Amino acid sequence: MDELEELAAPLKDLPIVEFAFAYGSGVFQQPGHSDLSKQEAPMVDYILGVTCPEEWHSQNIERNPHHYTSWLSHFGGKGVSLIADRVGVGVHFNAFVPWKGKMIKYGVMSMNNLVQDILRWQQLYISGRLQKPVRILVDNWELAKVNQVNLQSAVCAALLLLPAQFSEEDLYIKIGSLSYMGDVRMLFAEDKDKVCRIVRGSSEYFHALYRIPLYHMAASGFLELPTSFGHLDSIFVKDCSPAAVESLLSSLPSAVLARMPFQLSHIIEHKNAGIVSPGEKVVIKSDYSRPLQRAIRSIVRTSSIRQILSGFLAAGCANSASYVLKKSLKAWRSRF
């Protein structure tokens, strides 16, 4: 059995899914992670996309009732989906599920909400996870192709937040940090070096994931690719011209632009009013990085708070407290 077959094996015990991927330290080894987890192997994390979460959970409660807390399973698939949608960000997680000698955790989300998050960054939750290397196990909707829009958006946001010159490692760390900006869990329950560990443990996967979007950016003139492209210490040079900034800002996902405190016209000024002509001079009137960071933080903060509350309700106080304690201890070890 190869790695993908082994990762996909737990899906055989679940109802049919349209999309699935595995992620996290249980899939990609992170530097120093073994030192933090000598007592037990890391839990393997999954995200599952389904057509109708309510129907899926109803089937799964009949098939695997032990995956759910007893009080929640009493309300059936409708109750599970209601908490996920009304309290959380549309994702229900079943954690600490024993499977053949290891622990797994899987989150279930509707395909429609998943696509909206990928395209619009509506929650920047699952879309944020897909900005990092994952192992796609099922893809009936060809979301790997749709996710190219998400990857392109991540590169646009990272370029707007990076200085004129930066290393390939800086780029991947900035991309990897987007979905953690404003995440309240980073205050107490996440390793402060989490993103660096993810990038350094999966640098070749990051390169494979972003090779095409970066070639596209280079072809469009937004940055110069170094001859050593593919090495973390290679240096990129980006186009800092107002025209490039305007184009990158305009390419950001709609949910981010909606959270900007003002319209692009307040940041960008054209020399001539009316229709923009080729070669027209563009002037940047004010800083754009701070409002961009605030917009992303606002989305992520709201999503993280809602998902924490949803998790406590879905998993129960005892399981949630145990999970948070383990994450917090791991985070504190990384800080001292």
Side-chain angles (χ1 to χ4, degrees):
M1 182 181 295
D2 63 21
E3 181 187 8
L4 286 180
E5 288 179 334
E6 184 178 352
L7 286 172
L11 302 182
K12 296 177 182 178
D13 292 341
L14 302 173
I16 294 175
V17 301
E18 298 295 330
F19 179 68
F21 66 85
Y23 66 97
S25 57
V27 180
F28 299 96
Q29 182 63 49
Q30 298 173 12
H33 183 86
S34 57
D35 295 335
L36 296 171
S37 305
K38 292 179 179 177
Q39 302 301 320
E40 57 180 323
M43 189 155 43
V44 180
D45 300 304
Y46 297 86
I47 293 296
L48 314 178
V50 303
T51 305
C52 177
E54 180 179 333
E55 181 179 337
W56 192 93
H57 286 298
S58 295
Q59 294 177 16
N60 198 38
I61 288 172
E62 290 186 9
R63 188 180 299 187
N64 301 295
H66 58 288
H67 290 189
Y68 300 80
T69 56
S70 57
W71 80 270
L72 186 59
S73 61
H74 176 74
F75 292 98
K78 185 174 184 179
V80 175
S81 297
L82 189 66
I83 291 177
D85 292 335
R86 299 290 180 85
V87 181
V89 293
V91 187
H92 170 82
F93 280 97
N94 284 332
F96 302 106
V97 175
W99 193 84
K100 295 188 177 180
K102 63 183 177 182
M103 288 289 184
I104 66 172
K105 178 181 74 173
Y106 61 91
V108 181
M109 187 178 196
S110 79
M111 291 299 293
N112 288 334
N113 286 344
L114 182 54
V115 170
Q116 286 302 308
D117 198 32
I118 288 173
L119 297 178
R120 300 185 63 246
W121 289 12
Q122 197 161 1
Q123 313 291 352
L124 196 47
Y125 194 71
I126 304 305
S127 58
R129 185 59 260 175
L130 286 169
Q131 291 165 3
K132 308 170 189 66
V134 302
R135 296 289 195 194
I136 294 179
L137 308 173
V138 180
D139 191 8
N140 295 336
W141 284 33
E142 297 188 327
L143 284 196
K145 293 181 180 179
V146 178
N147 194 50
Q148 289 298 312
V149 176
N150 181 31
L151 301 180
Q152 195 77 22
S153 297
V155 172
C156 288
L159 289 179
L160 287 165
L161 297 174
L162 286 164
Q165 294 188 9
F166 51 89
S167 69
E168 190 164 342
E169 182 179 36
D170 293 334
L171 174 63
Y172 297 149
I173 288 176
K174 183 61 69 177
I175 289 173
S177 68
L178 292 174
S179 61
Y180 292 113
M181 294 170 62
D183 190 333
V184 296
R185 296 172 302 173
M186 296 301 291
L187 299 175
F188 62 91
E190 289 291 1
D191 180 356
K192 69 180 180 65
D193 297 321
K194 183 182 181 77
V195 177
C196 291
R197 291 182 188 277
I198 291 173
V199 171
R200 289 167 187 166
S202 308
S203 59
E204 69 274 22
Y205 298 109
F206 269 95
H207 177 73
L209 190 62
Y210 285 96
R211 183 174 58 86
I212 293 177
L214 288 173
Y215 275 127
H216 180 268
M217 284 291 184
S220 300
F222 291 113
L223 78 165
E224 297 177 10
L225 291 182
T227 55
S228 58
F229 180 40
H231 299 277
L232 289 181
D233 58 354
S234 60
I235 301 300
F236 292 73
V237 179
K238 72 173 185 179
D239 183 356
C240 297
S241 69
V245 170
E246 178 186 32
S247 183
L248 290 172
L249 283 170
S250 301
S251 300
L252 292 172
S254 58
V256 175
L257 292 176
R259 298 257 184 157
M260 300 282 274
F262 35 66
Q263 299 298 318
L264 293 183
S265 59
H266 293 164
I267 302 176
I268 302 164
E269 180 180 45
H270 293 278
K271 184 176 180 182
N272 301 315
I275 299 176
V276 181
S277 59
E280 177 186 354
K281 184 177 180 181
V282 180
V283 178
I284 300 299
K285 296 163 62 177
S286 62
D287 176 45
Y288 53 83
S289 61
R290 290 183 181 179
L292 173 55
Q293 290 182 69
R294 284 196 294 267
I296 294 175
R297 284 197 183 102
S298 176
I299 295 172
V300 175
R301 184 184 302 110
T302 301
S303 295
S304 65
I305 292 173
R306 290 181 61 183
Q307 197 58 36
I308 287 173
L309 295 175
S310 174
F312 267 95
L313 288 173
C317 293
N319 284 337
S320 296
S322 174
Y323 182 71
V324 170
L325 179 61
K326 289 180 180 179
K327 297 282 283 185
S328 298
L329 288 173
K330 179 180 173 183
W332 283 103
R333 288 194 196 105
S334 74
R335 301 181 189 198
F336 299 101

